[in-house]
Every structure is written in C-alpha cells, then in structure tokens.
Amino acid sequence: MLTALSIRDVVLIEALDLEFGEGLGVLTGETGAGKSILLDALGLALGARGETGLVRQGAAQAVVTATFDTPPAGGAVAQVFAENGLELEPGEPLIVRRIVKSDGGSRAFLNDQPASAGLLRELAPHLVEIHGQHDDRGLLNPRGHRALLDAFGRLDAAPVAAAHKAWRDAEAALAQAQGEQDAAERDREWLEHAVAELRALAPEPGEEEILAGRRAAMQRGEKIAGELQSIAGLLEGSDGGLTRLRQAARILDRIGQDHALLGEALAALDGAIAQAAEAQEKVDAAAEALAFDPGALEADETRLFELRGVARKHRVQPDDLAALHDELSARLDRIEGGGAGIAALALAAEETHRAYREAARALSEARSEAASRLDLAVEGELRPLKLDAARFRTQVEPLDESQWSPSGMDRVEFLVSTNPGAPFAPLIKIASGGELSRFILAMKVALAEEGGARTLIFDEIDRGVGGAVASAIGERLARLAGGAQVLVVTHSPQVAARGARHLLIAKSHDGVVTRTGVTPLDSDQRREEIARMLSGAEITDEARAQAERLIEPA
C-alpha cells in the first residue's frame, strides 16, 4: 500500500508531501489544475521514462519519493529484491526514490540502494495498478489476460510448467544424442581405421620414455665401443700394461732383499697392480652394460618412431595414445549401440510430451470453466453501469503446438460486444471512452479478490458519465476499496462523495511563478468542493444541500 508521496521540483510542483491511508481516496480539482502531474510523478517513481521536461523550470533536478508499507516476506517484491541482490529489511517500509536531473541524468534507489529504472518497472506491477481510459496495459493488454483468468479461477499452472520443462529437457537430450549419433556416423570410417591402427600399435602408458632411455643407452654404447676396446687392449694381453706391471713385480720380488727401497717399490707396485686390475674389471663391466644389439636398437627406434608418428597424427602425446584408443573405441561402440539409446530417449520425449498435453488439457478445461464464471461476474456488473446491451466474453482458444509454453496451450483474451448482434472484439478497439472506463471498472470489480497490487489508481475513469452511472461507479470503487487501497482522480461529485479521504488539487500564481498544490480536505471543505463540482464556479446553497445528501449515504 502507498503510504506517502514526496515530490520536489516536478513541473509546477515545488514541494509537496502527501500521506495516504486505506480505503478510497479521491483527488479532485479544476481542469488544468495539475492532477496529471501527480500521476506523472508517481509514474516516475515506478520506472517511467525520466523526461527532462518533468524538472521544474529553474531547478537542477526533480525528486520523487514513494513510500509503501512493509512488503510481505517471501512475496513478489521480496523475490525481486533477492533476485537482484538487494536487501529488504524485515519490518521496514519500501522506499522508492527517483531523481531526474535537468541535464538528462537519472538515478533510482530502493531503500537507499542504487537500482535501475528497469528494476523499478519490474517492481511496479506488484506495487500499483493504474487504470485509465487510455491504459494500453493491465486489463486491456491481452498478454496479461491468461494470468488474470488463472488468478480468478485460482488455477495452479505449476504442474503444467513442470511438465513442460520435463518435455523440453527430454527433447533436448534426444536432439543432442541424435546430433552426436549423426556426427559419429559421419566419422565411422575414420573411427574404424583409427581404432584398428591403435589396436595394432597397442601403445602402453610410459612406453615412450622406456624406449627412448633404452635407445639412448645403446647409442652411447655404440659410440664408445672402440674406445673401450682400446682400453682393454692397453690393459690386457701379453703386451698390456697390467701384464708388464706384473712382470716388473716378479723381478722386484727376486731382488727386493738387496735394498730396502726395492721392497718399498714392490709394495707400491703391488698396489698399482691391484688398482689396475680393479680398473680393468670396471671397464669390462661398463662394456658389458653398454653392449648393444644392432637389431634391438633398430627395433626400438622403429617402435619409438611409430609411437611418435601416430601421436602427431592424432595431436596427442605418445603417453596419451592408450587413453585415445579407449576413447575412440567407446565412440565406435556408441555408434553400434546408439540406436538403442536414441530409442530410449525418443520414448522418454514421447512420454513427457503426452504428460504435458494431459496436464495442459486439464488446465484448459479448468480455464474454460473459470472463463464462464468470469463472464457472468463481469456481465453482472455491466447493467448497473448502464451497459445493458453489452456482452463480455473470455475467449480461450488453443495455440499451435509451436507456441505451447510453461503456461499451457491456450491463448486467453477478453472480448466485448457493445451492441446486440455486434461481433465480439478486443475492448480497446470497439468501446468508446466512457464505455471503456466502465468496462475496466466492471472487470476490475469482478477480479478484485484475486490478488494483484494492493494500490489501485483510476484516472478519470468516470469521464463522460453522470447521474446514476456515476453513482454506480462510486459504489463499485468504494467496494474495491474494502479490500485494497484505491485512489481515483475524478470530476464526478457522485464518485467524490464516496471517498474516505479527499485531496484537492489546485493551481496558484503569485504574479511570478505558477505552482500546483494539494490540500487534504476536512468534512466542511469536502462538502464545499463537492458542491463546487455540482454547481460550477458559483456555489449555491442548493448545491451544498445536494452535496450533503451525496455524502450522507456514502
């Protein structure tokens, strides 16, 4: 519910602070007094385009602040806040502020948190409904008629939405599998060749490293084989160094007793012989370790080149060839068994399609029944509004399957016929201004208890009518106000007399500046204003008496 509206520097309004309450509030004033400015200001707070023409001449910016009572926890407003990462403190009012600068800049805030104008427009339907003769949204927009009918009939479309999602998910899975199968079929010949090649190659993880290490060792052995043989020749044999050392040792052994130094020389020579023998053993062991078979080297090189060549062809590392073989084999297996998988997915798509049709058909039947009740409810409101010859019809027609949605398979539109025998057509196309406003009121009264925003605003919905029709309009607006906050901009004294609160909009001029102001009226002032509406510029006692009579039963 709208509790307060603060306006600064909007067109002719310099500063205005208004408070609102429950029930029916009426706004009256002379033509041209500026009633539309109030609605424009509220529209600005609800995300309307921030035109620079709204900024009062000479002011740097226009500011509108609309305060609403605490949104219910878990409600639509709270959900919008959560989806947009905004905080909504429990128990706190909702404050919407919009600033438009004279240079064209615009800013918006929700409870002092920056927001976009688009977010304000998203919130607006949950806060305020504005209805008028030229309203091309709300009740006159066919895009919202299906939701209004569902709300009237208390119909739950959630099972249909769930069935629709299951159906679309199943179709998507089937389409993906079919696409993969088609692509795989196109690749079958290549896959068969690749799998056969890899199967024949039989690569093993880590095989490249082993082969490369073995190949490098054999290549080193091949390179130094001659040097090892030379070393062996120098150490071994009848003329080798080790043989000569042993010969020298035998001679020293015979003559070592002749001098002490010869004994020492023999001991040193024995050590040299031992070390030379050890060196010879190590060289022999190294030669044995580095020994290679040319055939084995060639085989390892051939295997290594094959692994690397196939890896390059498939653009993987040699160690990944085994995994690639498993992957391609699995793809080939899926081609062979893909038909069965696709058949299962096709069956699932068919079953979910059938489930959606059944759920949507049940919803369609419920909508048709609710449409009949809504037609009767609206037509019951037409006669008191002097639309006796008019007829109302809620058209529920099937959509093409390509248009089926989570909301079902129906298109819903409100149609009217204003004269006997005239065809039914959309309300906005055939109703005159006065008829249009009364149709809107009748529809809103019929739909009044089915949720929606808690604040309803009717902009001159009584234009072009008077007398009993105006009284009927006032009575229905008062009835609506029993379950919601209703504000009406009116020129009708019969409607104004029904108000629980009365605001007078007036224009003043101090010789320099023209301003628009709004004054809450007490009971006496209210009677004077209604008398003015009855009699015109000169208020007579008869008009005052008539105003009193209008107010009393209200």
Side-chain angles (χ1 to χ4, degrees):
M1 183 180 74
L2 179 66
T3 59
L5 183 65
S6 175
I7 304 173
R8 296 291 183 272
D9 295 319
V10 175
V11 192
L12 299 178
I13 299 176
E14 184 175 1
L16 183 63
D17 295 293
L18 298 175
E19 293 184 357
F20 301 93
E22 297 180 352
L24 177 61
V26 299
L27 294 87
T28 65
E30 295 282 1
T31 300
K35 295 184 290 296
S36 62
I37 299 176
L38 286 178
L39 296 184
D40 289 341
L42 181 58
L44 193 63
L46 296 175
R49 184 175 179 180
E51 300 283 356
T52 57
L54 291 172
V55 181
R56 189 174 63 86
Q57 187 175 3
Q61 63 183 25
V63 183
V64 179
T65 304
T67 303
F68 298 86
D69 57 5
T70 305
V77 172
Q79 184 176 350
V80 172
F81 264 67
E83 290 173 353
N84 288 274
L86 299 178
E87 295 183 2
L88 187 61
E89 293 294 334
E92 293 296 320
L94 171 60
I95 301 175
V96 183
R97 188 167 79 256
R98 184 83 180 278
I99 301 172
V100 176
K101 296 183 178 181
S102 58
D103 62 4
S106 173
R107 290 183 296 162
F109 300 88
L110 291 170
N111 285 6
D112 291 328
Q113 301 168 90
S116 65
L119 181 54
L120 299 188
R121 288 192 292 272
E122 184 180 352
L123 276 175
H126 307 300
L127 300 173
V128 177
E129 291 182 23
I130 300 178
H131 301 286
Q133 295 188 59
H134 306 293
D135 182 16
D136 60 353
R137 300 165 295 172
L139 295 177
L140 299 185
N141 188 344
R143 285 180 295 181
H145 291 178
R146 184 169 56 196
L148 288 170
L149 177 61
D150 287 353
F152 175 82
R154 292 181 170 82
L155 306 180
D156 184 8
V160 175
H164 182 271
K165 183 179 186 304
W167 170 36
R168 291 307 189 194
D169 287 349
E171 284 196 327
L174 175 60
Q176 180 179 354
Q178 286 176 329
E180 291 176 353
Q181 181 74 4
D182 292 342
E185 286 289 352
R186 290 192 296 270
D187 294 340
R188 177 193 285 270
E189 183 176 349
W190 177 84
L191 280 171
E192 289 175 341
H193 171 76
V195 169
E197 180 184 45
L198 290 169
R199 185 181 297 119
L201 185 64
E204 296 290 339
E207 184 179 5
E208 183 204 25
E209 184 179 357
I210 295 172
L211 288 171
R214 231 168 38 206
R215 171 173 172 261
M218 286 190 286
Q219 286 176 332
R220 288 195 300 274
E222 182 182 25
K223 182 177 180 180
I224 65 174
E227 283 82 352
L228 291 177
Q229 289 176 356
S230 296
I231 294 172
L234 291 173
L235 291 176
E236 300 175 357
S238 57
D239 293 329
L242 188 58
T243 299
R244 290 178 178 275
L245 288 173
R246 286 172 178 158
Q247 290 174 350
R250 283 195 294 272
I251 296 172
L252 282 173
D253 185 51
R254 288 197 301 270
I255 64 175
Q257 300 300 325
D258 296 333
H259 195 281
L261 290 175
L262 294 176
E264 294 177 3
L266 177 62
L269 191 58
D270 287 341
I273 292 171
Q275 290 181 345
E278 183 180 357
Q280 180 182 0
E281 290 175 0
K282 292 184 181 296
V283 169
D284 291 342
E288 183 179 355
L290 293 173
F292 72 97
D293 177 0
L297 175 60
E298 182 179 0
D300 280 357
E301 285 185 333
T302 300
R303 175 68 175 175
L304 186 60
F305 294 155
E306 285 180 348
L307 286 172
R308 290 175 174 173
V310 173
R312 281 195 301 273
K313 183 167 70 174
H314 291 285
R315 298 180 180 180
V316 298
Q317 295 298 317
D319 279 351
D320 296 331
L321 286 174
L324 178 64
H325 173 260
D326 294 340
E327 178 187 341
L328 297 183
S329 297
R331 285 176 59 184
L332 195 58
D333 290 343
R334 285 198 297 271
I335 293 176
E336 302 298 335
I342 288 178
L345 291 173
L347 180 60
E350 181 181 349
E351 291 176 347
T352 53
H353 187 197
R354 182 171 58 253
Y356 171 79
R357 289 198 310 271
E358 292 174 355
R361 188 174 295 114
L363 181 59
S364 296
E365 293 173 357
R367 281 175 175 155
S368 295
E369 189 275 331
S372 298
R373 290 190 287 111
L374 178 59
D375 293 349
L376 290 174
V378 173
E379 290 192 0
E381 298 294 332
L382 296 180
R383 183 178 296 275
L385 296 174
K386 296 300 182 286
L387 293 169
D388 310 58
R391 290 177 297 158
F392 176 86
R393 174 185 296 171
T394 304
Q395 179 175 274
V396 181
E397 60 181 7
L399 291 168
D400 183 79
E401 183 170 339
S402 63
Q403 297 177 290
W404 290 359
S405 73
S407 298
M409 55 175 65
D410 311 305
R411 180 179 183 273
V412 177
E413 185 172 7
F414 299 150
L415 304 176
V416 297
S417 170
T418 55
N419 296 298
F424 282 88
L427 177 60
I428 198 169
K429 292 185 177 181
I430 65 170
S432 66
E435 290 173 332
L436 184 59
S437 63
R438 283 176 280 161
F439 265 113
I440 290 174
L441 181 58
M443 293 161 62
K444 193 60 194 176
V445 170
L447 294 165
E449 298 179 358
E450 312 311 327
R454 293 185 58 199
T455 297
L456 309 176
I457 298 178
F458 292 88
D459 181 16
E460 298 187 2
I461 200 169
D462 51 7
R463 177 177 292 180
V465 301
V469 177
S471 294
I473 290 175
E475 187 274 328
R476 277 151 181 78
L477 289 171
R479 192 195 311 170
L480 277 178
Q485 179 190 49
V486 178
L487 303 175
V488 56
V489 177
T490 180
H491 289 285
S492 168
Q494 291 89 344
V495 173
R498 291 280 182 173
R501 297 169 315 285
H502 195 142
L503 299 175
L504 175 63
I505 305 171
K507 187 183 296 183
S508 62
H509 185 69
D510 61 5
V512 179
V513 178
T514 301
R515 296 180 176 86
T516 290
V518 180
T519 304
L521 302 183
D522 59 25
S523 57
D524 291 337
Q525 292 170 327
R526 179 185 177 205
R527 183 185 60 193
E528 285 295 298
E529 171 62 8
I530 294 175
R532 181 200 63 78
M533 297 170 72
L534 286 165
S535 63
E538 183 179 349
I539 303 175
T540 64
D541 290 339
E542 182 181 354
R544 291 187 178 94
Q546 179 64 19
E548 192 69 40
R549 285 193 293 271
L550 287 175
I551 293 172
E552 284 178 357

